[in-house]
Each structure stands twice: as C-alpha cells, then as structure tokens.
Amino acid sequence: MKTSLDFLIAARQCEIAELRALADTATLVEATARLVHALQRERGFSNLYLASQGERFARERDAQTDDTDRLESALRAHFDRLATPPARPGPGHDPGPRAGLGAGPGAGAGHGARLCARIAFALQGLEALPALRSLVRRGAWLPARATAAYARLIGALLAVVFEAADTAADAQVCRLLVGLFHLMQAKELAGQERALGASLFASGRAGVADQQRLQFLIESQARALDVFVQCARETGAARCVDAVHAVPADLERLRRVL
C-alpha cells in the first residue's frame, strides 16, 4: 500500500520532470530562433546576390550559409534528443503513481503530437534548403521567388516555436514564449515588407495587388506586436515594449510613397 511519503516523492519527481520539460522547451525555442535569424540574413544576402545578377554579395551569402548550417546542426541535435524515448526502468523498479508521463515538451499530452508534426514539416523544409541555395547560386530564380521559398521555411520554423510555447506547463513561461513568438512573427513580417518594398522601388511600379500585400504585412506586424506587448506586460517584462510600436519617420514616408 502506498504511503503519503510515496506520493510526496512522486510529486517531487513530477515537479522535476516538468522543470526539465520547461528547460527543453526553452532550449528548443532559443535554437529555433537563432536559426530563423540566420535564415533571414541568408535570404537578404541571396536577394542582393540575385538582384545584382550574381555580381555582388556572393562572399557574404556564402559566409552566411556556413553560419546557417552551424545553427541548423545545433537545432537538429535538439530535435534528435526530443525524438529519443526516455530510458525504460529495469526489472523490479517501482514506477510510482505518475509513471508513464514521460519527459520533454508536450509529453503525455496532445501538444506533443502537434509539436512533432510541426518539427517534421520544418525538417522537410530544411532538407530542401540545399536545392534552394543551388537555384540561387545559379541565378535561376528571381528575388521574389527566392524570398517566398525562404519565407515558407521560416514560417515552418516559427510554427515549431508556437507549438513549443503551447506545451509549456508553467502559465507565466507559456505567456513569455507566446510573446516571443509574436515578436519573432513581427520581425519576419517586417523582413517580408522590406523585401517587397525594395522590389517595388527597384521596379518603379506598385500595383493594386502589391499595395494590398504591403498593407496586409503592415497590419499583421501591428497585430503581432500588440500580442507581444500584452504578454510582456502580463509577465512583468514591460521594459521590453517601449519602442516596439515606434515607427521611424523614414519608414512611414516610404510606406506612403508605395
């Protein structure tokens, strides 16, 4: 018969498992965020390379792809750890009242299946990255098409961040991670706006569809930043929000022109 001490020990073991899961989640989000930033830089150099018909920024693009590969390897190592099941106890081991819950983000809950599905989709995108780079290197695509391809991969990685945030067992940590996701989302939308704006200014034309896309990106950035501000204030991180809505005058002028 189980005693109160058995359940106290089991409670502590569950707390330790939850803390380890939170640490895994934070590490996963950090590694994903670093790779997203590297891909955004690679996308920028690739667009400059394509726009110059391969005459400029080749060295910068190659250096950035090396950095991206390093961060991709780090993230894949973390994915591998998540995919490794915990060691099974030996014969005669008493698993305790909460045995079988597992460890790691989303273990024992429906979130785990969704997170793994997001990771699988992101890995498919990463596996296609060498082919995308080859097309860029040969100048086979226009900058707009390369931008869209990189955006799809970055979107898949952002989905991993969102799902990982949703698995956090601690409510405050979950809000912080959700806020971080929306800040990353706003940053990605700003990158897409920058790429579109540069393309429109280079072409000297901004059709109705282009203007509607630009407006969508601007409004989506504002919504994402609103969520970030709300999450930051709720978790005591309000010092991070002072400048997020301050749009530089030069940017507002460029937006009006387009």
Side-chain angles (χ1 to χ4, degrees), residues 32 35-41 43 147-160 184-185 188 192:
T32 307
L35 179 57
V36 165
H37 181 68
L39 285 166
Q40 288 167 335
R41 286 178 55 84
R43 176 177 61 192
T147 294
Y150 275 105
R152 286 192 294 271
L153 173 54
I154 291 169
L157 290 168
L158 288 175
V160 171
M184 293 173 64
Q185 181 73 16
E188 168 59 13
Q192 293 183 29

Side-chain angles (χ1 to χ4, degrees), residues 208-238:
V208 174
D210 295 323
Q211 292 172 339
Q212 291 175 344
R213 174 65 178 169
L214 192 68
Q215 188 64 33
F216 168 79
L217 293 171
I218 294 170
E219 293 173 353
S220 298
Q221 286 175 64
R223 287 194 296 269
L225 289 174
D226 284 341
V227 177
F228 165 71
V229 168
Q230 180 181 354
C231 292
R233 285 175 176 161
E234 289 177 355
T235 53

